[in-house]
Amino acid sequence: MTSTTEVSGQVVALARGMRDLVRAEAGESERARTLTGAVVDEMWDSGLMTALSPAQAGGIEPSLAEMIDTWIEMAWQDGSFGWIGIANLPSRFAAASYLNDEGFAEVFTAHDNHVTMGGQFFPNGQGVVVDGGYRLSGSWSFGSGTGHSQYVAAGFFPMDNGEMRWVSEGIPDMQVAVVPRQEIQFNDGWHVQGLKGTGSYDYSAQDVFVPGSRTFGLFDRRPYRGTSPAAHMGLMPVTAAGHASWALGVAKSMLDDVAELAATKYRMSDMASLASRPTFQKGLAHHVSAWRAARLLVLDAFGAAEAAVAAGDELTPMLRANMRAAAVFATDTSRECAEWAHLVAGTSSIREGSRLERAFRDIYTGTQHAFISEKVAMDSAQIWLGIIEDQFGL
């Protein structure tokens, strides 16, 4: 089958170069419940781990369009590998972009930029304001990529004299702490249906001191370093682009695999191959076209926002709503494509160890994420309708 998309670019090439290794290690990553050392090491050796980060942290600072195709490629190879791409790379990007100079020197410069980072950015903790920083306590779930991270991100609400801080009316201050691994208590809990190889552990902290220099605002858009538009768009759009791309990549792998299978697939008591069936042909044409349309929508929405920021314009609520709605649509479309591929593949899709079987488990795990939920679509629609002027979480 002709590929459902052609990808190019420096960072995409780095990811493509890992195909054989990721395929060989996918089963062991699932058994270990975190990426194998061989895969993580190659992400570093190839330059993939640092690619999204600012140049001062060893990055390339690619466009969002290139990162979208890179994340599609990674998720096409393996769902867990792709998920690490949208976890470790953006986590590292955010810390390297938004930590102040003192924090950057401690976390990055002191380690020759060889720093892997993962975690949960949602503010499930509280940070009591003390001299020089915060005393952090809390519990976080789904800490993607923490299985092999030297630093762990943990979102929290600052508490000043027992009261939350507010950045504006109705909007609390939300910060992200960057914490050394040894100061975190890992509770694991990562026994799941899909995305088994992501090391997305539960973890907690109890009264851990975090200097203010190792924190940054969850919605920061003014980077200390980094010149790409992405660095001036903030973590939310980058994360949204990652989720959309991940779902597209996993769905693409299933469409490609079922198309390859179709020439030799015969259902019991049926003398015709799957590929020769008109209903399969129609279904393949429909779902590949739907996939392509979803990818183009993502590129259009994120490209328009990126171009606006590059031109010095404001990242308006409308642009943010367009990106988030596109990510939800791409996720929904990808799940529909995956379901169709799973059904038409018949019993071939239930054999343990195949990419097709693993991808189906992964897609129904990854698309449960709150970041691409129906609430996000409704918030976006309310902005389009003029019901609300803005939703800060978009």
Side-chain angles (χ1 to χ4, degrees):
M1 177 190 178
T2 301
S3 173
T4 52
T5 184
E6 296 298 327
V7 295
S8 61
Q10 182 180 359
V11 186
V12 179
L14 299 178
R16 286 177 65 90
M18 294 188 62
R19 282 186 174 187
D20 290 344
L21 176 63
V22 170
R23 180 182 290 272
E25 296 288 316
E28 183 55 34
S29 290
E30 285 216 325
R31 286 187 288 274
R33 295 182 300 117
T34 190
L35 283 194
T36 65
V39 175
V40 175
D41 288 347
E42 184 57 27
M43 289 181 72
W44 275 104
D45 292 345
S46 67
L48 182 59
M49 187 70 84
T50 63
L52 181 60
S53 297
Q56 296 94 320
I60 300 172
E61 301 190 44
S63 67
L64 273 180
E66 180 164 2
M67 284 311 305
I68 286 166
D69 277 342
T70 299
W71 284 320
I72 290 174
E73 165 65 26
M74 293 177 72
W76 178 87
Q77 294 179 35
D78 173 63
S80 289
F81 179 55
W83 196 265
I84 289 301
I86 70 169
N88 286 152
L89 272 63
S91 296
R92 194 180 192 282
F93 153 85
S97 298
Y98 305 120
L99 285 178
N100 67 22
D101 289 345
E102 181 181 353
F104 181 83
E106 179 185 353
V107 175
F108 289 90
T109 307
H111 299 95
D112 295 325
N113 286 333
H114 199 286
V115 174
T116 307
M117 194 173 302
Q120 171 61 264
F121 286 71
F122 191 80
N124 284 338
Q126 294 186 350
V128 176
V129 177
V130 296
D131 187 30
Y134 306 90
R135 305 296 308 189
L136 177 69
S137 297
S139 296
W140 296 264
S141 299
F142 309 115
S144 299
T146 56
H148 53 266
S149 294
Q150 290 84 35
Y151 279 87
V152 176
F156 70 96
F157 292 109
M159 303 296 291
D160 199 347
N161 293 320
E163 300 289 337
M164 293 179 64
R165 293 198 311 215
W166 301 86
V167 296
S168 61
E169 184 177 356
I171 302 177
D173 187 11
M174 288 176 269
Q175 295 285 315
V176 178
V178 177
V179 187
R181 182 182 190 86
Q182 61 269 22
E183 296 179 16
I184 291 292
Q185 175 66 50
F186 286 96
N187 310 316
D188 197 352
W190 193 239
H191 299 274
V192 286
Q193 176 187 30
L195 293 179
K196 293 183 177 183
T198 60
S200 300
Y201 301 150
D202 297 345
Y203 58 97
S204 59
Q206 185 61 44
D207 200 34
V208 172
F209 176 70
V210 181
S213 58
R214 268 202 275 113
T215 66
F216 59 90
L218 179 59
F219 297 104
D220 281 356
R221 292 186 201 143
R222 295 181 179 179
Y224 283 90
R225 55 204 66 83
T227 59
S228 70
H232 294 266
M233 295 169 71
L235 185 57
M236 297 301 108
V238 173
T239 301
H243 277 279
S245 306
W246 178 84
L248 288 167
V250 176
K252 179 180 186 296
S253 78
M254 295 188 71
L255 291 173
D256 287 351
D257 285 357
V258 80
E260 182 178 351
L261 173 71
T264 57
K265 176 69 178 181
Y266 292 82
R267 302 299 295 270
M268 188 177 295
S269 73
D270 191 342
M271 299 304 293
S273 69
L274 185 61
S276 67
R277 293 183 184 179
T279 53
F280 173 79
Q281 296 164 3
K282 171 61 169 61
L284 183 66
H286 171 80
H287 288 93
V288 169
S289 296
W291 185 93
R292 288 173 171 164
R295 174 180 173 271
L296 289 174
L297 174 64
V298 169
L299 289 170
D300 178 73
F302 285 87
E306 188 174 34
V309 171
D313 296 334
E314 179 187 357
L315 187 64
T316 64
M318 187 67 72
L319 288 170
R320 288 164 31 230
N322 291 348
M323 287 187 286
R324 296 299 296 274
V328 174
F329 179 81
T331 299
D332 291 346
T333 300
S334 295
R335 187 168 50 234
E336 292 165 5
C337 290
E339 181 181 14
W340 174 83
H342 181 264
L343 287 172
V344 297
T347 55
S348 297
S349 64
I350 66 172
R351 299 290 183 182
E352 286 188 356
S354 71
R355 185 173 70 162
L356 191 60
E357 180 267 340
R358 189 169 61 247
F360 185 72
R361 288 188 285 106
D362 289 343
I363 197 83
Y364 273 91
T365 300
T367 57
Q368 295 283 3
H369 201 287
F371 208 84
I372 30 77
S373 68
E374 64 177 9
K375 171 64 163 59
V376 175
M378 291 186 291
D379 287 342
S380 299
Q382 288 180 30
I383 289 176
W384 293 343
L385 292 166
I387 296 173
I388 58 175
E389 292 185 1
D390 197 0
Q391 165 53 261
F392 72 91
L394 289 178

